[in-house]
Amino acid sequence: MRILLLAQFYPPVIGGEERHVRNLGRALAQRGHSVSVGTFMHSGSTDTEFDGPVRVHRLRGTIQRLSNLHADSERRHAPPFPDPELLLALKRLVAEERPDIVHAHNWIYASFLPLKVLDGARLVVTLHDYGLVCAKKNFMHLGTHLCDGPRLAKCLPCATAHYGAVKGTATTLGNWASSFAARRVVDRFIAVSHAVARHTGLTRGRAAYEVIPNFVPDDIGILGPEDSCVRELPEDGFILFVGDMMRLKGIDVLLQAYARLEQAPPLVLIGRRVADTPAEFPPNVRVFSNWPHSAIMHAWHRSLFGVLPSVGPEACATVIMEAMASGKAVVATDVGGMPDLVDDGETGLLVPPSNTQALTRMMQSLLDDRTLLSRLGTTSLARVGRLKAGAVVTRIEQVYGGVLCPSASSVVLPAEQRSGEPSC
């Protein structure tokens, strides 16, 4: 197949979603597909380049030129509505690449929707967050509690509080319009967790979808040479948190719970500092930023266990997969996509979000019971295979096949489409 992946960011801009798209492109290319990527222009990049066997096309959009609209100049997000310049660039790209499948990731799909309507290209959209219904993408109302569902009268003030009046209104209304259109013209949605499918309304609507998690490469557990930064880690046997150091990720809850532990080993935090990152940390907490992924994998191998106490509904935490591939248990909150990844009491432990006492109790149990800790880690390593490329990319290929040949589809279809399908 000829496959065009669309993603607003791509390495050297790196994060969980960007790493997923890159890994997916490489895995598909290794399986004999012709793979290209359409992504935003990045400073210092050329219009077209090769990332191994994958052709990467750097595109420009009108919204990306307006730097004052973006909080982070390195991550100028795609709008949830068609961007005129980006739409024209995508039209040229489709004419050049002639893909069988266009596979878009999050809001960049909005700029492709008019082309889908005009040209009839096959379109798959992966939802890595709650952006199909939430202008902030995190499904947290006013940043304090889990949303109970989208309503325009509620979404507008919530987005306005986050973005400001003009940007919040444009983002909300644009997202509502694009979501309405997408549910009618996207051939298949892929939700990265059951929580994403549920909260975005896919489970109650008529759009065809399947729940397929993100994945890690098959060789994720094979360590490369140590980066120099690994030497900064404390001795083996520390608790590890990986991710943005923000309240939504539960960083405040973690620090409070950690302070209550008895005979606690060091706590290592690796991730980006953001606006609400704590200004100070306790003495036994080591904080590192901007580490390469290879160094993070070394940290996982040297840790006792991981902790991911997100207070919001994390869609699909790749860091849990990386911990599992390193043979480590994870203490996580039972919200969002975490229960899809962590088998409570078998590969890790789940606690209610924002519950400091429960988080302390579960971390202390792993420190006190090394037999339990070992058992959870061993089971994690045994079960991570279902979250590796060999298993997950096969499922994505099946979605592509189902789009091109509906009679071969294994995705969840609306009831009225489950009979009388044409044979290929």
Side-chain angles (χ1 to χ4, degrees):
M1 283 183 280
R2 296 182 64 85
I3 302 165
L4 172 60
L5 303 177
L6 300 181
Q8 55 185 353
F9 306 125
Y10 192 82
V13 178
I14 198 67
E17 184 176 326
E18 294 76 41
R19 187 171 291 111
H20 170 82
V21 174
R22 183 185 216 177
N23 289 340
L24 176 59
R26 289 181 171 182
L28 289 169
Q30 288 172 358
R31 293 170 179 234
H33 302 291
S34 175
V35 183
S36 55
V37 173
T39 187
F40 282 133
M41 177 62 69
H42 181 73
S43 177
S45 299
T46 58
D47 290 348
T48 303
E49 59 191 7
F50 277 86
D51 182 16
V54 178
R55 295 178 301 281
V56 181
H57 302 270
R58 304 281 179 175
L59 313 175
R60 292 174 174 82
T62 303
I63 298 297
Q64 276 58 52
R65 298 181 186 276
L66 305 176
S67 59
N68 59 324
L69 291 179
H70 305 274
D72 185 345
S73 61
E74 293 298 312
R75 299 177 72 87
R76 301 185 181 187
H77 294 263
F81 47 81
D83 179 301
E85 189 174 358
L86 178 58
L87 189 154
L88 292 175
L90 289 173
K91 184 177 181 179
R92 291 191 294 269
L93 179 57
V94 169
E96 177 182 347
E97 290 290 345
R98 297 177 292 107
D100 300 307
I101 295 288
V102 176
H103 185 172
H105 297 260
N106 281 336
W107 278 354
I108 197 170
Y109 81 83
S111 292
F112 186 79
L113 287 180
L115 301 179
K116 164 65 177 171
V117 173
L118 292 173
D119 299 337
R122 301 293 188 176
L123 177 60
V124 175
V125 172
T126 290
L127 304 175
H128 293 273
D129 52 39
Y130 306 95
L132 192 66
V133 296
C134 178
K136 299 188 304 179
K137 299 187 177 184
N138 59 21
F139 211 67
M140 292 289 285
H141 184 54
L142 297 175
T144 59
H145 58 275
L146 188 68
C147 183
D148 62 0
R151 293 187 296 277
L152 193 58
K154 184 178 68 173
C155 294
L156 277 172
C158 183
T160 295
H162 182 75
Y163 292 119
V166 175
K167 185 177 177 182
T169 300
T171 301
T172 301
L173 296 179
N175 195 37
W176 276 66
S178 293
S179 176
F180 179 85
R183 293 173 193 274
R184 284 152 181 79
V185 303
V186 170
D187 293 289
R188 297 290 186 271
F189 285 102
I190 295 175
V192 297
S193 66
H194 288 88
V196 169
R198 183 172 63 254
H199 292 320
T200 57
L202 291 178
T203 56
R204 302 182 302 276
R206 302 177 60 185
Y209 75 94
E210 184 165 359
V211 176
I212 302 177
N214 294 334
F215 64 89
V216 288
D218 291 326
D219 61 355
I220 186 70
I222 301 175
L223 297 179
E226 280 194 4
D227 297 87
S228 58
C229 54
V230 175
R231 304 191 195 105
E232 302 178 52
L233 289 170
E235 294 296 323
D236 294 2
F238 49 83
I239 302 170
L240 180 60
F241 167 93
V242 176
D244 291 344
M245 289 175 273
M246 60 194 305
R247 289 192 178 94
L248 196 63
K249 296 278 189 179
I251 193 69
D252 295 334
V253 178
L254 173 57
L255 294 177
Q256 293 168 17
Y258 175 73
R260 299 182 179 189
L261 291 175
E262 298 178 2
Q263 296 181 325
L267 171 63
V268 172
L269 312 176
I270 304 178
R272 287 195 310 160
R273 291 176 180 265
V274 294
D276 60 357
T277 298
E280 297 181 354
F281 296 90
N284 211 26
V285 177
R286 305 289 298 277
V287 182
F288 304 104
S289 300
N290 302 318
W291 273 29
H293 184 254
S294 57
I296 293 173
M297 292 308 302
H298 277 279
W300 276 122
H301 277 265
R302 291 175 55 172
S303 68
L304 275 175
F305 60 87
V307 59
L308 189 60
S310 297
V311 299
E314 192 106 9
C316 184
T318 305
V319 294
I320 291 179
M321 306 179 200
E322 294 172 348
M324 293 175 66
S326 304
K328 304 299 178 180
V330 174
V331 180
T333 43
D334 59 351
V335 65
M338 251 86 84
D340 285 9
L341 304 176
V342 178
D343 297 323
D344 190 26
E346 298 180 36
T347 63
L349 301 173
L350 294 174
V351 300
S354 302
N355 192 321
T356 303
Q357 291 182 339
L359 183 59
T360 299
R361 185 168 62 253
M362 291 304 178
M363 289 195 294
Q364 191 70 58
S365 69
L366 295 183
L367 294 174
D368 295 342
D369 189 345
R370 297 305 173 94
T371 300
L372 171 63
L373 180 62
S374 177
R375 176 174 63 80
L376 296 177
T378 299
T379 308
S380 291
L381 191 58
R383 295 186 182 177
V384 74
R386 66 188 183 188
L387 301 169
K388 287 187 175 181
V392 178
V393 176
T394 297
R395 296 179 62 190
I396 295 175
E397 284 181 308
Q398 290 170 349
V399 170
Y400 296 163
V403 166
L404 295 172
C405 180
S407 63
S409 176
S410 62
V411 299
V412 180
L413 293 172
E416 62 270 22
Q417 296 181 23
R418 293 176 191 160
S419 61
E421 294 173 345
S423 58
C424 296

